[in-house]
Amino acid sequence: YISSEKDISYAKTAHPRAGNHGHNDLSDESGMPGLCRPGFIIIGAGKCGTSSLYHYLVGHPRVLPAKNKQIHYFKYFTNRPMKWYLSNFPPATTFLSNGALMTGEASP
């Protein structure tokens, strides 16, 4: 809810992840040409079916798998730049040549 012009101005400039030191900021994507964002991220406890769900999804002809099923970016690698995370997914050229709709990962 935005109640005034002041709130609108703040909403346009405030970043929801303040204090991230620019590592995960996607507002300037000029340094990430050709990289695609995941369309899904499967989370869950171990042995709860995350692998099965991931394999069902990537079994679809228009869903491409990540380089590794479990990237663990949000658990172990948040100190790395967002470009590193996105480089774990197929590039845009691969998407276009395969007619893919999405990619994603599963990190229990």
Side-chain angles (χ1 to χ4, degrees):
Y1 177 76
I2 298 175
S3 61
S4 69
E5 289 296 318
K6 183 179 176 185
D7 291 339
I8 291 170
S9 174
Y10 177 76
K12 288 180 180 177
T13 59
H15 198 280
R17 290 172 280 179
N20 70 355
H21 309 291
H23 291 297
N24 302 328
D25 188 0
L26 284 175
S27 61
D28 177 20
E29 295 181 355
S30 61
M32 297 186 279
L35 298 178
C36 294
R37 295 180 187 178
F40 63 88
I41 300 173
I42 302 169
I43 58 172
K47 298 298 191 189
C48 73
T50 56
S51 292
S52 294
L53 178 57
Y54 177 80
H55 291 294
Y56 295 144
L57 288 170
V58 298
H60 189 280
R62 298 195 70 188
V63 177
L64 296 178
K67 290 180 183 175
N68 296 301
K69 179 182 73 93
Q70 298 180 0
I71 299 170
H72 293 291
Y73 177 75
F74 299 99
K75 187 172 184 179
Y76 299 117
F77 302 111
T78 55
N79 62 326
R80 294 187 180 183
M82 183 59 68
K83 186 174 183 177
W84 177 87
Y85 175 64
L86 296 178
S87 72
N88 284 279
F89 299 101
T93 54
T94 303
F95 258 79
L96 295 173
S97 64
N98 287 293
L101 294 175
M102 71 173 60
T103 185
E105 63 142 322
S107 294

